[in-house]
Protein backbone atom coordinates (compact mmCIF):
# COMPACT_ATOMS: atom_id res chain seq x y z
CA UNK A 1 0.00 0.00 0.00
CA UNK A 2 1.75 3.16 -1.17
CA UNK A 3 2.18 6.44 0.66
CA UNK A 4 -0.34 9.07 -0.41
CA UNK A 5 1.60 11.63 -2.49
CA UNK A 6 -0.13 14.63 -0.93
CA UNK A 7 1.10 13.83 2.59
CA UNK A 8 4.62 13.65 4.06
CA UNK A 9 6.12 10.34 5.02
CA UNK A 10 6.35 9.36 8.66
CA UNK A 11 3.86 9.71 11.46
CA UNK A 12 3.45 9.43 15.21
CA UNK A 13 5.05 6.75 17.30
CA UNK A 14 8.60 7.00 15.94
CA UNK A 15 7.89 4.79 12.93
CA UNK A 16 10.84 3.61 10.89
CA UNK A 17 10.99 2.59 7.28
CA UNK A 18 7.88 4.56 6.36
CA UNK A 19 7.07 5.18 2.75
CA UNK A 20 8.31 1.89 1.33
CA UNK A 21 5.81 0.66 -1.20
CA UNK A 22 4.71 -2.91 -1.75
CA UNK A 23 2.26 -4.80 -3.86
CA UNK A 24 -1.24 -5.39 -2.55
CA UNK A 25 -1.84 -8.58 -0.65
CA UNK A 26 -4.63 -11.07 -1.16
CA UNK A 27 -8.12 -10.21 -0.06
CA UNK A 28 -9.00 -11.17 3.47
CA UNK A 29 -12.19 -12.91 2.34
CA UNK A 30 -14.04 -12.20 5.58
CA UNK A 31 -17.76 -12.30 5.01
CA UNK A 32 -19.75 -9.42 6.48
CA UNK A 33 -22.22 -10.31 9.19
CA UNK A 34 -23.20 -9.73 12.81
CA UNK A 35 -25.45 -10.91 16.01
CA UNK A 36 -29.28 -11.01 16.82
CA UNK A 37 -29.81 -13.11 19.89
CA UNK A 38 -28.79 -10.89 22.80
CA UNK A 39 -31.62 -8.51 22.04
CA UNK A 40 -32.15 -4.92 20.93
CA UNK A 41 -30.04 -1.96 21.92
CA UNK A 42 -32.87 0.43 22.66
CA UNK A 43 -32.96 3.65 24.63
CA UNK A 44 -30.73 6.68 24.45
CA UNK A 45 -27.40 6.29 22.72
CA UNK A 46 -24.81 7.46 25.22
CA UNK A 47 -21.65 8.30 23.29
CA UNK A 48 -23.43 8.15 19.91
CA UNK A 49 -22.34 10.52 17.12
CA UNK A 50 -23.30 14.08 17.90
CA UNK A 51 -26.32 15.62 16.25
CA UNK A 52 -25.35 17.19 12.95
CA UNK A 53 -22.28 15.00 12.48
CA UNK A 54 -21.99 13.30 9.13
CA UNK A 55 -21.35 9.59 8.73
CA UNK A 56 -17.90 10.35 7.38
CA UNK A 57 -17.01 12.44 10.43
CA UNK A 58 -18.23 9.81 12.89
CA UNK A 59 -16.41 7.05 11.04
CA UNK A 60 -13.22 9.12 10.82
CA UNK A 61 -13.25 9.83 14.57
CA UNK A 62 -13.46 6.12 15.39
CA UNK A 63 -10.77 5.17 12.87
CA UNK A 64 -8.47 7.92 14.16
CA UNK A 65 -8.67 6.46 17.67
CA UNK A 66 -8.07 2.88 16.53
CA UNK A 67 -5.20 3.93 14.28
CA UNK A 68 -3.59 5.74 17.20
CA UNK A 69 -3.95 2.53 19.24
CA UNK A 70 -2.23 0.63 16.42
CA UNK A 71 0.72 3.03 16.28
CA UNK A 72 1.04 3.14 20.07
CA UNK A 73 1.15 -0.67 20.25
CA UNK A 74 3.70 -0.76 17.45
CA UNK A 75 5.95 1.62 19.34
CA UNK A 76 5.59 -0.45 22.53
CA UNK A 77 6.47 -3.60 20.61
CA UNK A 78 9.64 -2.01 19.24
CA UNK A 79 10.60 -0.70 22.67
CA UNK A 80 9.97 -4.03 24.43
CA UNK A 81 13.44 -5.30 23.51
CA UNK A 82 14.13 -8.65 25.17
CA UNK A 83 11.05 -8.45 27.42
CA UNK A 84 8.99 -11.31 25.98
CA UNK A 85 5.90 -10.54 28.08
CA UNK A 86 5.87 -6.89 27.03
CA UNK A 87 6.34 -7.85 23.39
CA UNK A 88 3.49 -10.36 23.58
CA UNK A 89 1.15 -7.83 25.20
CA UNK A 90 2.05 -5.21 22.58
CA UNK A 91 1.43 -7.73 19.78
CA UNK A 92 -2.00 -8.54 21.22
CA UNK A 93 -2.88 -4.85 21.35
CA UNK A 94 -1.59 -4.43 17.80
CA UNK A 95 -3.83 -7.24 16.57
CA UNK A 96 -6.76 -5.83 18.53
CA UNK A 97 -6.45 -2.44 16.85
CA UNK A 98 -5.93 -4.05 13.43
CA UNK A 99 -9.08 -6.15 13.84
CA UNK A 100 -11.18 -3.12 14.74
CA UNK A 101 -9.95 -1.04 11.83
CA UNK A 102 -10.49 -3.94 9.41
CA UNK A 103 -13.95 -4.76 10.77
CA UNK A 104 -15.05 -1.12 10.64
CA UNK A 105 -13.94 -0.77 7.03
CA UNK A 106 -15.77 -4.02 6.27
CA UNK A 107 -19.09 -3.13 7.87
CA UNK A 108 -19.16 0.49 6.70
CA UNK A 109 -17.53 -0.13 3.34
CA UNK A 110 -20.29 1.65 1.33
CA UNK A 111 -19.31 4.92 3.03
CA UNK A 112 -15.67 4.74 1.93
CA UNK A 113 -13.73 4.42 -1.28
CA UNK A 114 -14.15 0.70 -1.66
CA UNK A 115 -10.89 -0.05 -3.47
CA UNK A 116 -8.93 1.76 -0.75
CA UNK A 117 -10.87 0.04 2.05
CA UNK A 118 -10.48 -3.42 0.52
CA UNK A 119 -6.73 -3.04 0.09
CA UNK A 120 -6.20 -1.78 3.63
CA UNK A 121 -8.39 -4.56 5.06
CA UNK A 122 -6.40 -7.17 3.15
CA UNK A 123 -3.12 -5.87 4.57
CA UNK A 124 -4.50 -5.68 8.11
CA UNK A 125 -5.79 -9.24 7.81
CA UNK A 126 -2.36 -10.40 6.65
CA UNK A 127 -0.66 -8.77 9.62
CA UNK A 128 -3.18 -10.01 12.17
CA UNK A 129 -2.85 -13.56 10.89
CA UNK A 130 0.94 -13.42 10.92
CA UNK A 131 1.00 -12.21 14.53
CA UNK A 132 -1.78 -14.47 15.81
CA UNK A 133 -0.33 -17.83 14.83
CA UNK A 134 2.54 -17.85 17.33
CA UNK A 135 0.31 -17.01 20.28
CA UNK A 136 -2.37 -19.47 19.18
CA UNK A 137 0.19 -22.29 19.10
CA UNK A 138 1.51 -21.37 22.55
CA UNK A 139 -2.02 -21.30 23.99
CA UNK A 140 -2.83 -24.62 22.29
CA UNK A 141 0.20 -26.30 23.79
CA UNK A 142 -0.68 -25.02 27.27
CA UNK A 143 -4.26 -26.15 26.86
CA UNK A 144 -3.31 -29.67 25.81
CA UNK A 145 -0.71 -30.07 28.56
CA UNK A 146 -3.24 -28.96 31.16
CA UNK A 147 -5.86 -31.35 29.76
CA UNK A 148 -3.45 -34.28 29.95
CA UNK A 149 -2.67 -33.43 33.57
CA UNK A 150 -6.37 -33.29 34.37
CA UNK A 151 -7.17 -36.54 32.59
CA UNK A 152 -4.40 -38.46 34.32
CA UNK A 153 -5.09 -36.88 37.70
CA UNK A 154 -1.50 -35.71 38.04
CA UNK A 155 -0.73 -32.36 39.63
CA UNK A 156 2.44 -32.03 37.58
CA UNK A 157 3.17 -32.32 33.89
CA UNK A 158 3.12 -35.93 32.62
CA UNK A 159 6.66 -37.30 32.54
CA UNK A 160 8.05 -40.38 30.83
CA UNK A 161 7.26 -43.33 33.08
CA UNK A 162 10.71 -44.89 32.71
CA UNK A 163 11.94 -48.15 31.33
CA UNK A 164 8.87 -50.06 32.46
CA UNK A 165 6.57 -48.09 30.14
CA UNK A 166 8.84 -47.99 27.12
CA UNK A 167 8.60 -51.11 25.03
CA UNK A 168 6.49 -52.58 27.79
CA UNK A 169 3.52 -50.39 26.97
CA UNK A 170 3.39 -51.96 23.51
CA UNK A 171 3.30 -55.42 25.07
CA UNK A 172 0.67 -54.46 27.60
CA UNK A 173 -1.46 -52.84 24.93
CA UNK A 174 -1.11 -55.89 22.74
CA UNK A 175 -2.24 -58.22 25.48
CA UNK A 176 -5.03 -55.83 26.49
CA UNK A 177 -5.50 -57.64 29.85
CA UNK A 178 -2.49 -56.75 31.99
CA UNK A 179 -3.60 -55.65 35.46
CA UNK A 180 -2.87 -52.08 36.46
CA UNK A 181 -0.15 -51.41 39.00
CA UNK A 182 -1.47 -51.90 42.53
CA UNK A 183 -4.12 -54.41 41.42
CA UNK A 184 -4.04 -58.06 42.26
CA UNK A 185 -3.64 -60.57 39.52
CA UNK A 186 -5.94 -63.16 41.05
CA UNK A 187 -8.66 -62.67 38.48
CA UNK A 188 -11.28 -62.12 41.19
CA UNK A 189 -12.10 -58.47 40.34
CA UNK A 190 -15.13 -57.75 38.14
CA UNK A 191 -14.61 -57.55 34.41
CA UNK A 192 -15.76 -53.91 34.25
CA UNK A 193 -13.30 -52.91 36.95
CA UNK A 194 -10.52 -54.75 35.16
CA UNK A 195 -11.37 -53.00 31.90
CA UNK A 196 -11.38 -49.62 33.63
CA UNK A 197 -8.05 -50.41 35.23
CA UNK A 198 -6.59 -51.36 31.86
CA UNK A 199 -7.83 -48.08 30.39
CA UNK A 200 -6.35 -46.08 33.27
CA UNK A 201 -3.07 -47.91 32.91
CA UNK A 202 -2.89 -47.27 29.18
CA UNK A 203 -3.73 -43.59 29.68
CA UNK A 204 -1.12 -43.20 32.42
CA UNK A 205 1.50 -45.03 30.37
CA UNK A 206 0.81 -43.08 27.20
CA UNK A 207 0.21 -39.60 28.66
CA UNK A 208 3.88 -38.78 29.17
CA UNK A 209 4.81 -39.77 25.63
CA UNK A 210 1.75 -37.99 24.23
CA UNK A 211 2.76 -34.85 26.10
CA UNK A 212 6.31 -35.09 24.78
CA UNK A 213 5.07 -35.60 21.20
CA UNK A 214 2.66 -32.67 21.35
CA UNK A 215 5.24 -30.47 23.03
CA UNK A 216 7.77 -31.23 20.32
CA UNK A 217 5.36 -30.64 17.45
CA UNK A 218 3.75 -27.47 18.81
CA UNK A 219 7.01 -25.94 20.01
CA UNK A 220 8.55 -26.45 16.58
CA UNK A 221 5.49 -24.92 14.91
CA UNK A 222 5.59 -22.00 17.33
CA UNK A 223 9.26 -21.35 16.61
CA UNK A 224 8.52 -21.23 12.90
CA UNK A 225 5.55 -18.92 13.49
CA UNK A 226 7.72 -16.64 15.63
CA UNK A 227 10.28 -16.40 12.85
CA UNK A 228 7.54 -15.69 10.32
CA UNK A 229 6.09 -12.94 12.55
CA UNK A 230 9.49 -11.28 12.94
CA UNK A 231 10.01 -11.48 9.20
CA UNK A 232 6.59 -9.91 8.60
CA UNK A 233 7.29 -7.05 11.01
CA UNK A 234 10.55 -6.29 9.22
CA UNK A 235 9.18 -6.48 5.70
CA UNK A 236 8.56 -3.65 3.26
CA UNK A 237 4.94 -4.76 3.15
CA UNK A 238 4.53 -4.08 6.87
CA UNK A 239 6.26 -0.70 6.66
CA UNK A 240 3.86 0.31 3.89
CA UNK A 241 0.94 -0.80 6.05
CA UNK A 242 2.24 1.16 9.05
CA UNK A 243 2.55 4.19 6.76
CA UNK A 244 -1.06 3.84 5.64
CA UNK A 245 -2.28 3.53 9.25
CA UNK A 246 -0.21 6.59 10.23
CA UNK A 247 -1.99 8.55 7.49
CA UNK A 248 -5.35 7.25 8.70
CA UNK A 249 -4.53 8.38 12.24
CA UNK A 250 -4.37 12.01 11.16
CA UNK A 251 -6.47 12.28 8.02
CA UNK A 252 -10.08 11.46 7.23
CA UNK A 253 -10.45 8.23 5.25
CA UNK A 254 -11.36 8.55 1.58
CA UNK A 255 -15.15 8.81 1.52
CA UNK A 256 -17.92 8.41 -1.02
CA UNK A 257 -20.85 10.78 -1.34
CA UNK A 258 -22.76 8.62 1.15
CA UNK A 259 -20.29 9.77 3.80
CA UNK A 260 -21.87 13.23 3.81
CA UNK A 261 -25.22 11.85 5.03
CA UNK A 262 -26.24 12.30 8.69
CA UNK A 263 -24.42 9.80 10.90
CA UNK A 264 -27.51 8.21 12.42
CA UNK A 265 -29.17 7.74 9.06
CA UNK A 266 -26.14 6.20 7.34
CA UNK A 267 -24.37 4.20 10.06
CA UNK A 268 -27.31 2.48 11.71
CA UNK A 269 -28.70 0.70 8.62
CA UNK A 270 -25.28 -0.79 7.89
CA UNK A 271 -24.92 -1.99 11.48
CA UNK A 272 -28.45 -3.43 11.32
CA UNK A 273 -27.61 -5.22 8.09
CA UNK A 274 -24.54 -6.76 9.65
CA UNK A 275 -26.60 -7.84 12.65
CA UNK A 276 -29.23 -9.50 10.48
CA UNK A 277 -26.61 -11.45 8.58
CA UNK A 278 -25.22 -12.76 11.84
CA UNK A 279 -28.69 -13.79 12.97
CA UNK A 280 -29.08 -15.74 9.73
CA UNK A 281 -25.74 -17.46 10.28
CA UNK A 282 -26.75 -18.47 13.81
CA UNK A 283 -30.09 -19.77 12.56
CA UNK A 284 -28.21 -21.99 10.09
CA UNK A 285 -26.08 -23.63 12.80
CA UNK A 286 -26.70 -27.35 13.52
CA UNK A 287 -29.28 -26.79 16.24
CA UNK A 288 -29.50 -30.46 17.22
CA UNK A 289 -25.94 -30.24 18.50
CA UNK A 290 -25.99 -26.65 19.64
CA UNK A 291 -28.72 -27.16 22.23
CA UNK A 292 -27.14 -29.89 24.35
CA UNK A 293 -24.16 -29.70 26.65
CA UNK A 294 -22.79 -33.12 25.66
CA UNK A 295 -24.72 -34.59 22.72
CA UNK A 296 -24.14 -38.28 22.17
CA UNK A 297 -22.85 -37.80 18.65
CA UNK A 298 -20.59 -34.80 19.36
CA UNK A 299 -17.39 -36.81 19.26
CA UNK A 300 -18.21 -38.37 15.89
CA UNK A 301 -19.00 -35.04 14.23
CA UNK A 302 -16.80 -34.16 11.30
CA UNK A 303 -14.45 -31.24 11.81
CA UNK A 304 -16.05 -29.48 8.88
CA UNK A 305 -19.03 -28.81 11.16
CA UNK A 306 -16.82 -26.47 13.15
CA UNK A 307 -16.47 -24.04 10.24
CA UNK A 308 -19.96 -22.45 10.59
CA UNK A 309 -19.28 -21.86 14.28
CA UNK A 310 -15.97 -20.19 13.50
CA UNK A 311 -17.81 -17.99 11.01
CA UNK A 312 -20.37 -17.00 13.64
CA UNK A 313 -17.52 -16.08 15.99
CA UNK A 314 -16.23 -13.66 13.34
CA UNK A 315 -19.70 -12.21 12.90
CA UNK A 316 -20.19 -11.72 16.64
CA UNK A 317 -16.97 -9.74 16.66
CA UNK A 318 -18.15 -7.62 13.73
CA UNK A 319 -21.38 -6.89 15.57
CA UNK A 320 -19.51 -5.75 18.67
CA UNK A 321 -17.27 -3.47 16.66
CA UNK A 322 -20.18 -1.99 14.73
CA UNK A 323 -21.83 -1.21 18.05
CA UNK A 324 -18.67 0.57 19.19
CA UNK A 325 -18.99 2.90 16.19
CA UNK A 326 -22.74 3.55 16.31
CA UNK A 327 -23.43 3.36 20.06
CA UNK A 328 -20.15 3.25 21.99
CA UNK A 329 -21.85 3.83 25.32
CA UNK A 330 -24.29 0.93 24.86
CA UNK A 331 -21.96 -2.07 24.87
CA UNK A 332 -23.95 -5.25 25.44
CA UNK A 333 -21.97 -7.58 27.75
CA UNK A 334 -23.84 -10.56 26.33
CA UNK A 335 -22.20 -10.05 22.97
CA UNK A 336 -18.80 -10.12 24.63
CA UNK A 337 -19.74 -13.27 26.54
CA UNK A 338 -21.01 -14.91 23.36
CA UNK A 339 -17.69 -14.08 21.72
CA UNK A 340 -15.81 -15.66 24.62
CA UNK A 341 -17.91 -18.83 24.38
CA UNK A 342 -17.13 -19.09 20.67
CA UNK A 343 -13.49 -18.36 21.40
CA UNK A 344 -13.47 -21.38 23.73
CA UNK A 345 -15.15 -23.36 20.97
CA UNK A 346 -12.43 -22.45 18.49
CA UNK A 347 -9.62 -23.20 20.94
CA UNK A 348 -11.07 -26.61 21.84
CA UNK A 349 -11.73 -27.52 18.21
CA UNK A 350 -8.18 -26.64 17.18
CA UNK A 351 -6.73 -28.49 20.17
CA UNK A 352 -8.75 -31.57 19.23
CA UNK A 353 -7.44 -31.32 15.70
CA UNK A 354 -3.87 -31.10 17.01
CA UNK A 355 -4.37 -34.22 19.13
CA UNK A 356 -5.82 -36.11 16.16
CA UNK A 357 -2.94 -35.00 13.96
CA UNK A 358 -0.40 -36.17 16.54
CA UNK A 359 -2.16 -39.54 16.76
CA UNK A 360 -1.47 -40.02 13.05
CA UNK A 361 2.30 -39.84 13.64
CA UNK A 362 3.86 -43.02 12.22
CA UNK A 363 5.16 -45.73 14.56
CA UNK A 364 3.90 -44.35 17.86
CA UNK A 365 3.19 -46.78 20.70
CA UNK A 366 -0.40 -47.96 21.16
CA UNK A 367 -0.54 -46.44 24.64
CA UNK A 368 0.50 -43.07 23.20
CA UNK A 369 -2.17 -43.27 20.51
CA UNK A 370 -4.73 -44.23 23.16
CA UNK A 371 -3.82 -41.20 25.31
CA UNK A 372 -4.09 -38.92 22.28
CA UNK A 373 -7.49 -40.42 21.47
CA UNK A 374 -8.72 -39.74 25.00
CA UNK A 375 -7.35 -36.20 24.74
CA UNK A 376 -9.13 -35.69 21.41
CA UNK A 377 -12.42 -36.89 22.91
CA UNK A 378 -11.96 -34.58 25.89
CA UNK A 379 -11.49 -31.56 23.65
CA UNK A 380 -14.51 -32.49 21.52
CA UNK A 381 -16.55 -32.53 24.73
CA UNK A 382 -15.25 -29.01 25.37
CA UNK A 383 -16.43 -28.07 21.88
CA UNK A 384 -19.92 -29.35 22.68
CA UNK A 385 -19.97 -27.52 26.02
CA UNK A 386 -18.97 -24.25 24.35
CA UNK A 387 -21.75 -24.64 21.80
CA UNK A 388 -24.21 -25.21 24.60
CA UNK A 389 -22.96 -22.11 26.44
CA UNK A 390 -23.42 -20.02 23.30
CA UNK A 391 -26.92 -21.38 22.71
CA UNK A 392 -27.92 -20.32 26.24
CA UNK A 393 -26.58 -16.82 25.64
CA UNK A 394 -28.42 -16.51 22.35
CA UNK A 395 -31.85 -15.18 23.27
CA UNK A 396 -33.77 -14.61 20.03
CA UNK A 397 -36.67 -12.22 20.01
CA UNK A 398 -38.77 -10.20 17.58
CA UNK A 399 -36.57 -7.92 15.52
CA UNK A 400 -37.29 -4.26 16.29
CA UNK A 401 -37.33 -1.60 13.62
CA UNK A 402 -33.98 -0.40 14.90
CA UNK A 403 -31.60 -1.62 17.60
CA UNK A 404 -29.87 1.67 17.87
CA UNK A 405 -32.58 4.20 18.64
Amino acid sequence: MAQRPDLPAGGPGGLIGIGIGSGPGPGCGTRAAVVDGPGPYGGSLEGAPADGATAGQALAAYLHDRSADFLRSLRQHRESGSDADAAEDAARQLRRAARRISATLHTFRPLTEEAWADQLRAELGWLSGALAREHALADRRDRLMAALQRLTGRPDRPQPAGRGTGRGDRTAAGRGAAPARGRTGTGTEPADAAGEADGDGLLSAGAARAAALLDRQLTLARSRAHSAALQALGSARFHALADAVAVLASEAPPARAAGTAPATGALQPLAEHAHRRLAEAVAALPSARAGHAHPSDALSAEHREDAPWHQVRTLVRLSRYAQEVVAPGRADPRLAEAGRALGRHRDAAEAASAAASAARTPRIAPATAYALGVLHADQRHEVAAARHAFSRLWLPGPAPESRWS
Side-chain angles (χ1 to χ4, degrees):
M1 186 171 297
Q3 164 78 18
R4 280 174 52 180
D6 58 327
L7 292 171
L15 297 178
I16 61 175
I18 296 299
I20 302 175
S22 66
C28 66
T30 304
R31 182 184 176 188
V34 210
V35 159
D36 182 6
Y41 312 111
S44 62
L45 300 183
E46 178 186 352
D51 292 340
T54 66
Q57 291 170 339
L59 196 59
Y62 181 83
L63 290 174
H64 289 342
D65 291 342
R66 302 293 76 76
S67 298
D69 292 341
F70 181 99
L71 298 172
R72 188 181 307 111
S73 300
L74 176 58
R75 182 172 63 252
Q76 292 172 355
H77 189 275
R78 287 173 172 165
E79 294 173 352
S80 62
S82 60
D83 189 341
D85 291 338
E88 180 177 353
D89 181 67
R92 290 183 188 278
Q93 294 300 322
L94 193 64
R95 298 200 324 266
R96 180 176 182 269
R99 288 197 306 265
R100 279 169 164 76
I101 296 171
S102 178
T104 301
L105 295 177
H106 184 87
T107 301
F108 302 103
R109 181 173 179 265
L111 303 178
T112 67
E113 288 294 336
E114 296 181 354
W116 168 84
D118 292 345
Q119 185 179 4
L120 183 55
R121 284 196 306 113
E123 297 302 287
L124 290 167
W126 161 76
L127 175 64
S128 183
L131 296 178
R133 180 162 175 75
E134 176 188 356
H135 304 295
L137 288 166
D139 292 343
R140 194 172 307 154
R141 176 198 170 279
D142 293 343
R143 181 187 185 93
L144 289 170
M145 296 301 107
L148 278 172
Q149 294 171 19
R150 172 170 47 81
L151 291 169
T152 56
R154 295 184 176 186
D156 56 348
R157 176 180 165 181
Q159 298 293 333
R163 193 179 303 275
T165 56
R167 294 181 180 274
D169 63 4
R170 293 176 180 264
T171 306
R175 288 196 300 266
R181 182 173 298 184
R183 301 277 187 174
T184 63
T186 61
T188 58
E189 58 185 282
D192 290 345
E196 182 179 351
D198 290 342
D200 290 343
L202 276 175
L203 179 58
S204 179
R209 292 194 171 195
L213 176 61
L214 287 167
D215 181 64
R216 183 168 63 252
Q217 292 181 345
L218 293 174
T219 300
L220 177 60
R222 182 189 179 185
S223 297
R224 291 173 175 169
H226 179 71
S227 298
L230 291 179
Q231 184 177 3
L233 289 173
S235 66
R237 182 177 181 181
F238 172 73
H239 291 311
L241 171 60
D243 185 26
V245 175
V247 172
L248 186 58
S250 58
E251 298 291 327
R256 300 176 64 182
T260 61
T264 54
L267 296 177
Q268 291 180 12
L270 293 173
E272 289 280 3
H273 176 68
H275 190 94
R276 285 193 298 270
R277 294 190 65 179
L278 172 59
E280 293 171 359
V282 173
L285 289 173
S287 58
R289 292 185 174 90
H292 301 85
H294 299 290
S296 59
D297 60 344
L299 298 181
S300 63
E302 296 292 337
H303 288 298
R304 64 175 177 270
E305 293 183 359
D306 295 332
W309 292 87
H310 297 335
Q311 176 69 7
V312 168
R313 174 179 168 273
T314 299
L315 303 185
V316 168
R317 179 176 286 172
L318 287 173
S319 182
R320 287 177 53 213
Y321 298 163
Q323 185 180 349
E324 289 180 3
V325 177
V326 177
R330 301 280 300 172
D332 190 334
R334 290 171 295 180
L335 278 178
E337 184 61 30
R340 285 190 288 270
L342 292 172
R344 294 192 299 270
H345 174 276
R346 179 205 58 184
D347 293 344
E350 292 180 349
S353 179
S357 178
R360 292 191 290 270
T361 302
R363 297 184 298 278
I364 61 173
T368 306
Y370 176 79
L372 290 169
V374 172
L375 182 60
H376 173 268
D378 174 75
Q379 293 303 299
R380 293 308 302 181
H381 277 298
E382 294 289 338
V383 167
R387 293 180 182 183
H388 176 65
F390 174 79
S391 71
R392 292 178 63 86
L393 288 165
W394 191 262
L395 305 174
E401 292 183 4
S402 174
R403 311 186 165 271
W404 318 97
S405 61

